[in-house]
Amino acid sequence: MDKFLKNIKDFYNNEDGLSAVEYVIAGGVLLVGIAAIFSSLEEAVSTEMGTITTKMAE
């Protein structure tokens, strides 16, 4: 248990990596990018599904 707590303290005090705020910002930017991609593909997928449905009904 002491080793676990020591590792947590070492991780908390380590300033080499990104801070928690930077991770949150990076995650937010990534989420916005993914949402933009899906938003732009929405119309194309909807049109394609409509075409498939029409051809299946024939």
Side-chain angles (χ1 to χ4, degrees), residues 1-54:
M1 185 70 172
D2 290 332
K3 185 177 180 181
F4 178 71
L5 293 175
K6 182 185 177 309
N7 286 336
I8 290 176
K9 287 178 185 177
D10 288 344
F11 178 77
Y12 180 75
N13 292 328
N14 185 359
E15 296 180 9
D16 292 336
L18 296 175
S19 70
V21 173
E22 291 167 327
Y23 280 118
V24 169
I25 291 171
V29 169
L30 184 64
L31 184 64
V32 168
I34 291 171
I37 290 170
F38 280 117
S39 176
S40 67
L41 292 176
E42 178 183 11
E43 184 177 341
V45 170
S46 178
T47 302
E48 203 58 40
M49 291 300 252
T51 303
I52 291 170
T53 304
T54 303

